[in-house]
Amino acid sequence: MLFPMTSIDASTQASSSTTSTAGLAQIGVVGMAVMGSNLARNFASRGHTVAIYNRSPEKTHAVMEQYGDEGSFIPSETIEDFVATLERPRKAVIMVAAGAGTDDVIDQLVEAMDEGDIIIDGGNALFTDTIRREKEVAAKGRHFVGAGISGGEEGALRGPSIMPGGPKESWETLGPLLEDISAKVDGVPCVKHIGPDGAGHFVKMVHNGIEYADMQVIGEAYHLLRYAAGIEPAELAEIFSEWNQGDLDSYLIEITAEVLRQVDAKTGKPFIDVVVDAAGQKGTGRWTVKEALDLGVPTTGIGEAVFARALSSSLAQRQAVQETGLPSGHVVDLNALGVDKDQFVEDVRRALYASKLVAYAQGFDEITAGSQEHGWDIKPQDLATIWRGGCIIRAKFLNRITEAYNNDPELPSLLLDPYFRGELENGLIDSWRRVVVVATQLGLPIPVFASSLSYYDSLRAQRLPAALIQGQRDFFGAHTYKRVDMEGTYHTNWSGDREEVSY
């Protein structure tokens, strides 16, 4: 059965917008792939009338066929008819692939809409594209909102974490709608106005970067327990389920247990053993690292997680190295190292917690730096609050992070919060070091565990090797240096009499 598509002429549109909103939609969604259709269903489930449109009408028909009885939908076959079904100020969420396709839809909506109408990009757009788009759309009298939406397919349907940027006037109109469909934790909606232009998509980008690191350290923990401690997937599933009852309580730990528990129907083997060990990525992690480099913020854990995915996908290169006969280092015998298995499992749990904490700390550092660079005035405590539910990195300890930034909004590093500092000093560091040592002895790769520990050690070190690097830079390039005992900038005449001069 096909559902009739809407067609409203200009006179009907004008009449509806000036006299009544009866029969019009409160919100519209462009793009009827899984994320877009689920978001439209979410709006409809809250009692809102939702206009829906897809470039291919067949997808719109399919949504109506499957879900049309879940709420009030107004389907359209053209962008003009879609816009005509929206009450003013019109509000349309774009859920299409990032890039040129998004620009095309924006151009069409700008042409069909009127002054004061709002276009919302809910995809994973690069924040600099959002800044550009916001300026272009504003110049034509429309509002543009870049909104990060996290939670995947299920979150879009049941309640995501939403990070909208854009003009404050847009938030005043959009806020109640977005609060309505967002996840709720302790009755608090997981959505806040993040800041102007690209702020929302910047925060979503870094959220995804943290997600990369979080997933990688969980993977490293699994790998250590599987190949160092020799624990099979079914037992590992129980271990991760137990961990999910404590400080590590999070969505990613929860689903890790489910993945490890899964048995392949075709072979009867653990699901994890029939999956190719090459992880994909769509780009937000790389964006996070590139921007961190531009801002001069060390997001080492996130960077190593991105590189780990790239290396995992370098299958030909990996195979070439493996074929040389070099020892793999996979020695499943902790006893040979004098390591107690139960203690090792607990050490891995603690190292995982500490490494996750570093990933979040680095992510918040990048957000703070980005906010300062672009004048966004982003409040870290707001992000910790809205990430508690709906999003992929939702975790129990985000409550602690919220408290940390509420207690000290200017906290130099999350690692300096009294609670987290106490956690690190209460045995986490010793376990962390033991895990890195054992993994290194056994030849097991732990790029995020190790780099996160080095990051922590670098922060606490009284002196770093950067003094020597400054000397080298001055030697070959006269880049100058500063002294610990005097003010000013100096250069040594290395190729001459080695006299020091000041500038």
Side-chain angles (χ1 to χ4, degrees):
M1 171 184 175
L2 294 182
F3 289 78
M5 295 295 186
T6 298
S7 178
I8 299 179
D9 63 30
S11 61
T12 304
Q13 177 187 346
S15 174
S16 296
S17 64
T18 56
T19 61
S20 172
T21 60
L24 296 179
Q26 288 81 56
I27 189 78
V29 179
V30 177
M32 288 294 105
V34 176
M35 283 292 290
S37 61
N38 277 7
L39 196 68
R41 292 168 62 197
N42 188 345
F43 278 114
S45 72
R46 318 286 172 163
H48 303 292
T49 299
V50 187
I52 60 174
Y53 166 77
N54 194 82
R55 183 179 60 179
S56 303
E58 294 79 12
K59 284 193 175 182
T60 308
H61 283 298
V63 169
M64 292 301 296
E65 181 74 39
Q66 280 188 279
Y67 310 114
D69 60 353
E70 291 185 356
S72 178
F73 298 97
I74 306 177
S76 296
E77 283 196 354
T78 69
I79 204 81
E80 292 78 14
D81 287 345
F82 168 79
V83 168
T85 66
L86 297 170
E87 67 180 31
R88 296 189 181 186
R90 303 182 183 92
K91 300 166 285 293
V93 184
I94 302 171
M95 299 297 289
V96 301
T102 300
D103 283 315
D104 288 343
V105 174
I106 292 170
D107 290 343
Q108 293 175 48
L109 286 173
V110 167
E111 183 67 25
M113 284 179 159
D114 293 319
E115 186 170 346
D117 290 345
I118 306 170
I119 300 169
I120 307 103
D121 179 9
N124 277 332
L126 182 59
F127 78 97
T128 49
D129 286 341
T130 302
I131 292 174
R132 168 182 59 81
R133 289 163 177 158
E134 197 273 337
K135 288 180 180 178
E136 293 172 353
V137 172
K140 297 181 179 180
R142 282 68 163 157
H143 292 262
F144 185 79
V145 172
I149 300 176
S150 178
E153 300 172 10
E154 190 69 14
L157 180 61
R158 307 294 179 193
S161 174
I162 311 175
M163 295 147 262
K168 276 193 174 180
E169 305 94 299
S170 298
W171 169 249
E172 291 170 4
T173 300
L174 279 175
L177 280 166
L178 298 184
E179 287 177 349
D180 205 14
I181 67 161
S182 71
K184 312 292 188 302
V185 175
D186 299 328
V188 178
C190 293
V191 56
K192 289 271 188 179
H193 179 242
I194 304 301
D197 51 66
H201 275 144
F202 183 91
V203 165
K204 177 55 165 56
M205 174 190 75
V206 178
H207 163 285
N208 284 22
I210 295 171
E211 180 184 308
Y212 273 57
D214 205 345
M215 294 172 73
Q216 177 65 26
V217 291
I218 293 171
E220 290 176 17
Y222 151 76
H223 203 67
L224 286 170
L225 297 182
R226 180 80 187 275
Y227 295 105
I231 304 173
E232 292 300 314
E235 185 180 350
L236 284 174
E238 298 309 314
I239 290 173
F240 276 93
S241 290
E242 182 180 342
W243 287 359
N244 198 47
Q245 304 306 308
D247 292 335
L248 289 173
D249 180 355
S250 67
Y251 174 70
L252 285 172
I253 294 290
E254 176 187 344
I255 67 171
T256 296
E258 292 301 315
V259 171
L260 291 172
R261 191 173 286 120
Q262 181 73 6
V263 175
D264 178 53
K266 295 184 180 66
T267 64
K269 296 179 179 180
F271 168 80
I272 192 73
D273 289 347
V274 301
V275 177
V276 175
D277 58 337
Q281 53 182 308
K282 292 187 176 179
T284 48
R286 291 196 299 270
W287 295 347
T288 303
V289 177
K290 288 178 181 177
E291 185 60 23
L293 289 170
D294 288 341
L295 292 169
V297 178
T299 56
T300 54
I302 297 171
E304 287 293 349
V306 173
F307 292 136
R309 289 200 190 186
L311 193 151
S312 76
S313 297
S314 301
L315 296 176
Q317 187 180 42
R318 289 171 59 195
Q319 184 177 357
V321 173
Q322 291 160 19
E323 288 174 351
T324 64
L326 292 174
S328 67
H330 284 201
V331 181
V332 188
D333 188 4
L334 291 176
N335 290 330
L337 299 175
V339 177
D340 178 75
K341 179 177 175 180
D342 291 339
Q343 181 61 53
F344 183 69
V345 172
E346 175 59 13
D347 282 347
V348 170
R349 184 192 69 81
R350 293 177 177 180
L352 173 55
Y353 182 83
S355 298
K356 281 166 65 78
L357 178 56
V358 167
Y360 282 78
Q362 292 180 347
F364 277 105
D365 287 348
E366 180 170 355
I367 289 170
T368 298
S371 178
Q372 293 171 350
E373 175 75 13
H374 297 283
W376 287 329
D377 192 28
I378 298 172
K379 295 176 174 54
Q381 58 269 42
D382 287 347
L383 307 186
T385 298
I386 66 175
W387 288 348
R388 294 182 305 160
C391 69
I392 303 301
I393 64 171
R394 59 186 183 267
K396 178 181 178 180
F397 83 162
L398 278 162
N399 286 312
R400 294 288 189 181
I401 295 176
T402 302
E403 292 174 9
Y405 284 113
N406 279 333
N407 291 335
D408 184 1
E410 305 300 322
L411 193 63
S413 169
L414 191 57
L415 303 181
L416 292 177
D417 171 70
Y419 175 80
F420 289 119
R421 181 176 175 179
E423 289 283 276
L424 289 168
E425 294 172 352
N426 189 28
L428 290 185
I429 301 300
D430 291 341
S431 290
W432 206 359
R433 296 195 192 286
R434 286 194 293 267
V435 167
V436 171
V437 168
V438 169
T440 303
Q441 288 177 311
L442 298 179
L444 292 171
I446 47 163
V448 178
F449 272 5
S451 67
S452 298
L453 179 58
S454 290
Y455 172 82
Y456 170 82
D457 283 337
S458 296
L459 284 180
R460 56 175 290 279
Q462 293 296 318
R463 293 280 288 173
L464 291 171
L468 177 59
I469 293 170
Q470 282 299 85
Q472 294 168 335
R473 293 179 73 244
D474 190 60
F475 192 107
F476 66 68
H479 292 296
T480 73
Y481 54 88
K482 294 184 182 295
R483 296 176 58 99
V484 298
D485 54 353
M486 292 186 291
E487 295 293 326
T489 302
Y490 298 87
H491 166 64
T492 293
N493 184 15
W494 297 100
S495 61
D497 58 9
R498 303 223 167 174
E499 179 182 357
E500 184 178 75
V501 296
S502 63
Y503 293 91

